[in-house]
Amino acid sequence: MTGAALAFLCGTDLGPWDAGGLAAFHAGSPVLRYQYRKMAGWAGVEADALLRPAGDGDAPRHPVAGRLALATAMLGIHDVLAAHRIRPGVLGGVGTGALVAASLAGALPRAELVRALMAGGAGTGDRAASALAFWPARSVPDWYRGAGSEEVRFGGALGRDTSGRYRVVLLTGERSALLRLAAAAPPGAVRPGGSDRCVVHDPLAREAQARMRRLAAGLPFTAPRLPLCSALEARTLCTADEVRELFARTVVERADLDSGVAAMQAHGVRLGLVLGPSLPRNLLRFPFPVVPVESPEDLPHAIGALLELGVEASPAAHRAPGPAGAASGRGHPG
C-alpha cells in the first residue's frame, strides 16, 4: 500500500452529456482554455469543436472532435484541479479514460495521446457505438439473450448501481443494432451512447486493435510516475511495455471497472474524483466516496470532500522520483 488517498477516475463516452458545465469552466478558466487550444492544435481542429463536438442532433460536427472532446475535458479538468493544488495519488480509467489516465500518470506525452485517439477511431464511423445496459443483479435478461453477437457485444462490467439491484454493463456494436435492442428492452434498460468514438472494449474489433498495436509500437511510452490501475484486471501497471499493451488490449478486451477500483483500494484510496462527464453521475456504486468534477459548481464539493475526509490533495507520490523523472519532463501539462 502506497498510502495514496486521492484517486482520479477517467471514464469513457457512455452517452450524451451536457456541455454547459464545461463551457462555464472554459469561460472562467485560463487553464482550461489553454488545454483546449493545445489539443485543438495537435488535432488540427478549432477549439470550439472540442468544446461543443455535437452538431445538429447527435451527429458529431467533426469526426476528430467527437473522438477527442471527452479526453480534452478530462485533461483540462485535471489541470484546473492541479491549479488548486489538488493532485491524484493514483489514477485509473475505463475505455478512452484508461488511455487518458496513462497520459496523466506520465506514461505518454499528451501530443502522442492525441495521435493514438485519432487513429483509434479511424474507419469505424457509425459502427463504433456503445450503450449502457441495466441487468438484474443475478441474471442475464431474456431481451439481451436474443441479441445478435455479431451486432451487439458485451463490452464489460461497470459494477452495481447505487441501489445494488442492477448490474451496469457496457455494450458495444453497431449503432443501429443497439437502438433496436433499446427498443426491445424495457424502457430505460438500454441507453445508447454516441457514435464515431474510439473503439474500446469491442471483442470483434480486431482490425482496430491491429491498427492501434502498430501505432503503439512507435509511441514513446515510459513507466508511469504514479500508480496506474488497469480496468482489465485488478493490478497496477508499472512498466512502459505494460502501458503499451493497455492501449492495444483496451480496444478488444472487456472492461471490469470493479477490478480497477479494487487495485485503487490496494493503494489506500479514500476519495475518488471523476474527471469530466466520463462516468454516469450518481449511478455506480463505489467502495469509497466519489465526486464528479465537470463544472465550476463541482469544485467546492470536491474541496469539501477532501477536507471532510482529511485526504491529502497534493501527495508526495506525485512529485518526480528523482533526477531521471525530472529530466524526462513527464507530467507537464503541455
Side-chain angles (χ1 to χ4, degrees):
M1 180 180 293
T2 67
L6 178 63
F8 278 11
L9 292 161
C10 304
T12 197
D13 204 334
L14 295 174
W17 39 273
D18 182 5
L22 291 174
F25 247 148
H26 185 270
S29 171
V31 172
L32 202 61
R33 290 196 296 273
Y34 172 81
Q35 178 59 37
Y36 271 85
R37 288 196 301 270
K38 291 286 287 187
M39 290 286 281
W42 289 325
V45 300
E46 296 295 326
D48 187 65
L50 297 176
L51 187 63
R52 301 174 179 84
D56 295 333
D58 293 329
R61 178 183 302 173
H62 191 293
V64 170
R67 289 192 291 273
L68 294 182
L70 187 59
T72 304
M74 289 188 282
L75 292 168
I77 289 173
H78 166 277
D79 294 350
V80 170
L81 292 170
H84 285 79
R85 302 185 182 275
I86 300 173
R87 298 180 180 273
V90 59
L91 286 146
V94 62
T96 301
L99 313 187
V100 172
S103 181
L104 292 176
L108 186 68
R110 294 185 183 188
E112 301 294 343
L113 173 68
V114 171
R115 285 183 57 201
L117 294 176
M118 290 172 65
T124 58
D126 285 342
R127 292 178 295 162
S130 63
L132 282 178
F134 300 84
W135 293 358
R138 295 180 175 82
S139 64
V140 177
D142 291 339
W143 51 261
Y144 175 76
R145 293 178 187 276
S149 62
E150 294 296 315
E151 295 182 318
V152 176
R153 277 87 73 181
F154 180 80
L158 302 181
R160 299 285 183 95
D161 76 333
T162 52
S163 74
R165 294 180 298 169
Y166 296 97
R167 285 186 292 162
V168 185
V169 303
L170 173 67
L171 301 180
T172 65
E174 304 282 346
R175 178 168 176 77
S176 58
L178 291 171
L179 290 173
R180 288 195 300 271
L181 182 64
V190 177
R191 302 179 187 177
S195 61
D196 200 26
R197 307 302 194 233
C198 293
V199 178
V200 290
H201 306 304
D202 188 333
L204 298 185
R206 298 297 174 185
E207 181 180 346
Q209 184 192 37
R211 186 169 59 245
M212 178 64 83
R213 190 176 292 280
R214 289 193 298 270
L215 175 67
L219 293 178
F221 289 102
T222 55
R225 289 179 57 216
L226 293 172
L228 176 63
C229 298
S230 171
L232 302 178
E233 65 270 299
R235 61 188 293 257
T236 301
L237 305 182
C238 299
T239 70
D241 285 341
E242 288 175 335
V243 179
R244 182 176 286 107
E245 278 298 299
L246 174 71
F247 273 62
R249 292 175 61 202
T250 296
V251 175
V252 298
E253 292 191 21
R254 293 172 174 175
D256 185 350
L257 187 56
D258 278 348
S259 290
V261 170
M264 289 182 169
Q265 282 189 287
H267 290 281
V269 168
R270 296 175 56 200
L271 174 67
L273 300 184
V274 176
L275 302 190
S278 63
L279 289 172
R281 185 184 284 259
N282 300 323
L283 176 64
L284 300 175
R285 184 171 63 179
F286 291 93
F288 43 75
V290 167
V291 178
V293 182
E294 54 189 272
S295 73
E297 289 74 23
D298 293 324
L299 274 175
H301 298 292
I303 294 171
L306 288 164
L307 295 174
E308 180 181 354
L309 297 171
V311 172
E312 175 60 55
S314 186
H318 188 273
R319 293 193 284 270
S328 71
R330 287 175 287 173
H332 189 279

